């Protein structure tokens, strides 16, 4: 096996340094933001009763963590988000397959997809509450917000698959089921992961909106409760945990993407 050239090694070192520099700049930007926030509150440039401050957030976080309520609400939101992602991705893939399988169904349902995509989903909240109750209406909101976008993105990905390969398989007598399993779905893995990245954010938005409207637990409930009793520390801690949860979920999807790329290169 040939050793890499010195020029290539210098290039790799420069890329690693650049990556470390990017991470350092990100952390510094966050640290500067928190420092300015803390100083502005201490020097009374802003009203800490309305905005809280980082030092108070730490105190509130540990107080809530000690009594166990914080992790209970975090787990409720995480569970609802994961369930919403699973439901919307599964339903979205099945619907996109139906549209690919039957051009007639695609042409009939396409106007309804456009209308549903433009419809403000928050208007469906009271309906879900009546139909599903205060607990399961959160899942309804999560799926309602993410499902249509998921279907549209996956269907668009299916259309980008090379028609030459499908025609070649059809010429050899392959059925649609064989084309689906052997060409369409394997070739759509990168697009499915891209859709999953979008789905994470949309589902989390749907979960929080559902918790705002009807839930009695979860980070969205804590935000509404904290606003009602004027405890901004509780609101800010919940928002920080939401940001952390979104980062973790997005990181998991990125790891899944890396795994898919390594598997694809290994097989190719």
């Amino acid at each position: 096996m040939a050793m890499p050239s010195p020029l290539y090694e210098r290039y790799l070192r420069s890329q690693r340094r650049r990556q470390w520099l990017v991470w350092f700049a990100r952390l510094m930007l966050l640290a500067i933001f928190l420092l300015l926030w803390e100083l502005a509150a201490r020097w009374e440039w802003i009203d800490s009763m309305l905005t809280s401050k980082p030092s108070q957030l730490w105190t509130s976080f540990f107080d809530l963590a000690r009594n166990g309520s914080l992790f209970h609400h975090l787990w409720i939101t995480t569970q609802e988000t994961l369930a919403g992602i699973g439901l919307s991705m599964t339903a979205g893939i099945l619907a996109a397959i139906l549209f690919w399988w039957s051009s007639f169904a695609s042409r009939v349902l396409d106007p309804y997809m456009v209308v549903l995509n433009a419809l403000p989903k928050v208007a469906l909240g009271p309906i879900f509450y009546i139909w599903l109750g205060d607990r399961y209406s959160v899942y309804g909101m999560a799926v309602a917000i993410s499902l249509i976008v998921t279907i549209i993105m996956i269907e668009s990905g299916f259309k980008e698959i090379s028609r030459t390969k499908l025609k070649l398989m059809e010429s050899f007598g392959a059925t649609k089921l064989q084309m689906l399993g052997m060409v369409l779905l394997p070739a759509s893995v990168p697009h499915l992961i891209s859709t999953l990245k979008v789905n994470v954010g949309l589902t989390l938005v749907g979960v929080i909106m559902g918790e705002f409207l009807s839930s009695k637990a979860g980070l969205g409930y804590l935000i509404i409760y904290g606003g009602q009793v004027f405890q901004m520390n509780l609101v800010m801690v919940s928002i920080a945990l939401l940001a952390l949860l979104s980062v973790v979920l997005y990181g998991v999807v990125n790891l899944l993407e890396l795994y898919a790329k390594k598997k694809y290169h290994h097989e190719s």
Side-chain angles (χ1 to χ4, degrees):
M1 182 177 180
M3 297 293 293
S5 66
L7 183 62
Y8 183 66
E9 288 182 346
R10 285 198 299 271
Y11 169 76
L12 291 178
R13 286 196 297 269
S14 68
Q15 289 297 107
R16 285 194 291 267
R17 284 196 298 268
R18 183 178 178 83
Q19 187 63 34
W20 279 109
L21 183 61
V22 168
W23 277 103
F24 176 75
R26 290 173 179 172
L27 293 175
M28 284 300 297
L29 184 62
L30 178 61
I32 291 172
F33 170 75
L34 294 175
L35 178 62
L36 290 176
W37 183 8
E38 180 72 24
L39 293 176
R42 287 180 180 271
W43 294 341
E44 298 183 353
W45 294 349
I46 58 177
D47 189 350
S48 60
M49 286 290 294
L50 300 177
T51 63
S52 187
K53 54 186 177 182
S55 57
Q56 290 178 345
L57 296 187
W58 280 110
T59 303
S60 299
F61 175 83
F62 286 116
D63 288 342
L64 290 168
R66 275 195 294 267
N67 62 33
S69 63
L70 186 65
F71 296 110
H72 168 71
H73 291 289
L74 176 61
W75 168 243
I76 292 294
T77 298
T78 303
Q79 182 183 9
E80 291 167 345
T81 303
L82 293 176
I85 292 171
L87 289 171
S88 57
M89 284 298 296
T90 302
I93 292 172
L94 292 176
I97 290 173
L98 172 64
F99 292 160
W100 170 81
W101 194 286
S102 172
S103 59
F104 177 78
S106 177
R107 293 178 63 183
V108 169
L109 297 176
D110 185 66
Y112 296 98
M113 297 293 297
V114 173
V115 172
L116 290 174
N117 187 44
L119 179 70
K121 310 304 185 298
V122 68
L124 303 175
I127 297 175
F128 288 136
Y129 182 79
I130 294 171
W131 287 355
L132 303 174
D134 58 351
R135 176 173 173 78
Y136 293 104
S137 61
V138 177
Y139 298 101
M141 283 299 301
V143 174
I145 286 182
S146 57
L147 178 59
I148 304 302
V149 174
T150 300
I151 294 173
I152 293 173
M153 290 187 66
I154 295 176
E155 184 186 10
S156 175
F158 283 176
K159 291 178 180 178
E160 293 175 5
I161 303 300
S162 174
R163 293 184 179 274
T164 305
K165 295 179 181 179
L166 298 176
K167 288 292 183 182
L168 180 62
M169 290 193 68
E170 188 177 0
S171 67
F172 282 109
T175 64
K176 276 201 167 185
L177 187 61
Q178 290 173 323
M179 287 188 286
L180 175 67
M182 298 174 66
V183 176
L184 196 67
L185 289 179
S188 299
V189 168
H191 203 84
L192 291 175
I193 293 177
S194 298
T195 304
L196 184 58
K197 289 182 178 180
V198 176
N199 198 303
V200 166
L202 290 176
T203 304
L204 193 55
V205 169
V207 166
I208 297 305
M209 288 179 63
E211 291 178 349
F212 281 173
L213 293 171
S214 62
S215 181
K216 297 177 181 177
L219 296 178
Y221 165 79
L222 283 184
I223 292 173
I224 291 294
Y225 174 76
Q228 290 173 343
V229 299
F230 218 74
Q231 293 184 13
M232 294 306 296
N233 294 339
L234 184 58
V235 175
M236 293 300 183
V237 167
S238 301
I239 292 174
L241 285 175
L242 277 177
L244 180 61
L245 177 59
S246 63
V247 168
V248 170
L249 292 175
Y250 195 81
V252 170
V253 177
N254 279 335
L255 291 176
L256 182 62
E257 183 179 25
L258 290 175
Y259 171 77
K261 286 181 178 179
K262 288 182 180 179
K263 186 176 181 181
Y264 173 77
H265 288 305
H266 178 73
E267 291 178 351
S268 59

